[in-house]
Amino acid sequence: MTAAIRVLSLASEAVPLVKTGGLADVAGALPAAVAPHGIAMTTLIPGYPAVIAALGIEAAGGRRRGRSGGGPRLLHQWDDLLGEGARLHAASLGAHPLLVLDAPGFFARDGGPYADPQGRDWADNWHRFAALGRAGADLAGGAVPGLGFDVLHAHDWQAAMAPAYLRFAPPAGAPHVPTVMTIHNIAFQGWFARENFARLGLPRAAWAFDGVEYHGGVGMLKAGLQAASLITTVSPTYAEEIRRPEFGMGLEGLIVSRGARLRGIVNGIDTAAWNPATDPALVAPYTARSLARRAANKRALEADFALEPGDGPLFVVVSRLTTQKGMDVLCEGLDHLVGLGGRLALLGAGDAAIEGELRKGAARHPRRVGLHFGYDEALAHRMQAGGDAILVPSRFEPCGLTQLYGLAYGCVPVVARTGGLADTVIDANLAALSAGVATGIQFDHVDYPHLAQAITRAIALYHQPGAWRSLQRAGMRADFSWRRSGAAYAALYRELKAEQA
Ligand code: ADP
Ligand code: GLC
């Protein structure tokens, strides 16, 4: 039996402690996904107030310092982590080791992980997440005696400085540690003004075209992509798409130049948390063999959203309210959806202008369009169980998780043919339908005519109960657990370790 490969995974969010989107689902699930394949993963996240509170970490000087036993343990201290004092606590994420970067100057504040309570990005985000990267690089470089790592895995721009620090400013005497940089969304690049460079603690050589410099400023994701030993993104189709200007958002040239080191690995879902047979959030749990029980969930959802019952399908949306997610086009499609006898229940948070448009649509269609603004995990589960179809009209979607939850719950996905949506849903064309393998509906071009046509197709299929059941069952049979993708990440770490030898 070979020794486990030790991986340090760096992320700015992880379920169940802190979540704003799919990144948290993935970072939270990855340790368990790779464990069966001989990978010992430790996760490092920032100590936001909610994390510190949930883990019961005490303020500096508290009684728990350095104690052994079940609770968090103080492992390490930085007097000066890019200008702030910081402590590192060891805790656990499920059954797996967790490290928490407790740097009050950076993270102890009200609001979200990236923005203040008014939704404005924190002005010092460059500093906060550079510090996360610096801490990750220090740990990978052996800052804590007895805690070594074979590979560092950074997620998104918030963690992307770690590979850059290991490349340009590794801790003294550190072994070479290979790095993986995962792109969950290339639209968020962590770009900051040039004057911040001087405070990153990097040598002048890092201010280079193939280093940290990007369009005259500091490009954090760019720096990580340049420095990483391997790059991954969260679906094979997105890995292809980001080579093109429409999807690469300015980084397409870099992506093409590093193309030989880029892989696409589709996300899995946590099949324990997202299982309609055992989901505690549901009114009536069910399986593919007891789909009739979904009706009780549908009635409950209609009541939750004050919708009148009807013969047509109940569409659901669980989404950030942004143009990435096509929510502006959804607003345009509401009249069509309702005109054909459909109803809509939407759970979302985000852009205020989109929220306003949705409110107007709901006002035009009382008891046919129901809205819930905010973030509600249990409701997100109930919507997958009570909805007939989930709409995901994203302009781009690196992977997407809500369509996977829809598949698992028999809530038929109606999706744009892009990124992970293209890779995970099988369109109900004639051939797929007659072979019994179709799982949903795909459409090209996120605009009103194409969305309207997809809604028309969905409603027509819904009125053919045999075909609809077949879509639901095929989706529920499909395997989107972490089994395959966990193995794929493990193979990647192994490959990097082998390159070292
Ligand atoms: P993204 O990360 O781009 O937002 P994903 O589809 O990968 O998109 O992940 C979104 C995750 O966030 C899913 O787990 C989804 O259920 C959840 N989610 C999105 N909006 C809400 C909301 N308003 N309330 C509860 N969960 C939400
Ligand atoms: C990002 C992407 C989403 C993906 C998630 C997890 O938020 O927008 O498509 O599923 O990351 O990888």
Side-chain angles (χ1 to χ4, degrees), residues 21-23 26 184-185 234 267 320 324-325 397-401:
L23 166 63
V26 175
H184 293 268
N185 192 337
V234 287
N267 292 329
R320 290 187 286 118
Q324 174 198 335
K325 301 286 181 183
E397 194 61 79
C399 179
L401 295 174

Side-chain angles (χ1 to χ4, degrees), residues 13 15 19-26 184-185 188 267 274 317-322 324-325 347-349 372-381 384 392 396-403 405 421:
E13 40 185 280
V15 292
K19 167 167 168 175
T20 71
L23 166 63
D25 292 288
V26 175
H184 293 268
N185 192 337
F188 300 104
N267 292 329
W274 290 91
V317 169
V318 179
S319 184
R320 290 187 286 118
L321 303 179
T322 64
Q324 174 198 335
K325 301 286 181 183
L347 168 63
H372 187 101
F373 296 118
Y375 200 90
D376 188 333
E377 189 74 29
L379 182 55
H381 285 243
Q384 299 282 8
V392 193
F396 63 93
E397 194 61 79
C399 179
L401 295 174
T402 61
Q403 84 283 12
Y405 301 144
L421 301 173

